[in-house]
């Protein structure tokens, strides 16, 4: 009888009988198993988790109320907002890479600094139903670095082409 009551409560909360929702707790445990530095705000209602992985600083947004994790890799590239040609290349490249990458790239203009900051974001399911959550999470996080590397490679190609054009015109 008690098991039936627990299943009813679980189903009422998330629509899936027997599915335990503890996404935030599982994410913190998994990050710690991966030897990531983890910082959790003191406020229980704060859905952010700050962590480092492979030299990158990340912010995860999640809670124990749902199965999704939203991870942001902030400010991994910046550019002068007044370099119009360069900024145009950055915007064009963001659109291009977003067409095929598993991670979404976006930018934010910091007007006081006069800089364009490039960030990336990925949303994914993360649940106690995963067989090997550490391997799954590593795979999700590696996508950030692959996308950043592809962006930087393509940006380097554009810079090289422009440099060759300038040299040719001199």
């Amino acid at each position: 009888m008690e098991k039936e009551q627990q299943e009813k409560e679980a189903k009422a909360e998330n629509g899936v009988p027997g599915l335990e929702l503890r996404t935030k707790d599982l994410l913190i445990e998994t990050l710690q198993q991966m030897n990531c530095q983890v910082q959790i705000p003191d406020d229980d209602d704060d859905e952010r988790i700050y962590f480092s992985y492979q030299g990158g600083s990340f912010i995860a947004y999640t809670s124990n109320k749902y199965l999704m994790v939203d991870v942001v890799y902030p400010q991994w590239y910046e550019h002068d907002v007044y370099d119009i040609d360069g900024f145009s290349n950055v915007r064009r490249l963001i659109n291009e890479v977003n067409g095929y990458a598993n991670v979404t790239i976006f930018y934010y203009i910091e007007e006081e600094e006069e800089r364009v900051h490039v960030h990336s974001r990925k949303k994914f399911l993360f649940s106690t139903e995963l067989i090997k959550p550490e391997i799954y999470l590593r795979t999700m996080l590696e996508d950030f670095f692959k996308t950043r590397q592809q962006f930087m490679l393509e940006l380097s190609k554009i810079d090289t082409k422009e440099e060759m054009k300038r040299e040719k015109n001199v």
Side-chain angles (χ1 to χ4, degrees):
M1 189 72 163
E2 186 176 313
K3 185 175 179 172
E4 287 177 26
Q5 183 62 28
Q6 287 174 343
E7 285 185 7
K8 283 181 186 179
E9 288 173 10
K11 185 172 184 171
E13 189 170 318
N14 61 43
V16 180
L19 181 61
E20 182 183 9
L21 284 179
R22 52 181 220 94
T23 307
K24 185 174 182 179
D25 296 339
L26 178 63
L27 181 63
I28 292 167
E29 289 170 20
T30 305
L31 288 168
Q32 289 171 338
Q33 288 170 359
M34 294 166 52
N35 295 319
C36 296
Q37 290 182 317
V38 179
Q39 294 178 341
I40 306 154
D42 292 333
D43 182 3
D44 288 339
D45 293 331
D46 195 332
E47 296 181 344
R48 293 176 294 180
I49 300 169
Y50 299 91
F51 67 95
S52 60
Y53 176 74
Q54 300 291 325
S57 296
F58 295 84
I59 305 167
Y61 298 87
T62 190
S63 92
N64 287 325
K65 297 177 185 173
Y66 41 82
L67 297 172
M68 296 298 291
V69 174
D70 182 6
V71 177
V72 176
Y73 184 14
Q75 299 183 4
W76 51 262
Y77 178 77
E78 66 177 55
H79 194 80
D80 180 3
V81 75
Y82 293 113
D83 175 1
I84 303 301
D85 292 334
F87 181 34
S88 176
N89 289 336
V90 167
R91 288 183 9 191
R92 182 170 44 89
L93 193 52
I94 286 172
N95 286 335
E96 182 181 316
V97 173
N98 279 340
Y100 61 81
N102 290 328
V103 172
T104 302
I105 304 174
F106 62 100
Y107 69 90
Y108 176 78
I109 298 174
E110 181 60 57
E111 292 182 22
E112 287 182 21
E113 295 177 18
E114 299 177 347
R115 305 295 289 170
V116 175
H117 295 278
V118 178
H119 318 272
S120 49
R121 158 177 265 144
K122 182 174 183 135
K123 297 179 182 188
F124 53 91
L125 290 171
F126 199 69
S127 115
T128 56
E129 298 296 305
L130 292 169
I131 295 171
K132 296 188 179 189
E134 184 178 327
I135 293 171
Y136 177 77
L137 184 57
R138 283 185 192 280
T139 302
M140 297 296 108
L141 296 175
E142 288 300 319
D143 282 342
F144 285 97
F145 297 114
K146 290 175 189 173
T147 302
R148 182 185 70 183
Q149 183 178 22
Q150 189 63 41
F151 176 88
M152 298 304 288
L153 178 65
E154 295 300 324
L155 191 59
S156 175
K157 288 179 185 177
I158 291 170
D159 290 344
T160 300
K161 281 183 185 178
E162 289 178 358
E163 183 65 32
M164 291 173 65
K165 282 182 185 178
R166 283 192 293 274
E167 288 176 5
K168 188 176 180 181
N169 291 332
V170 172

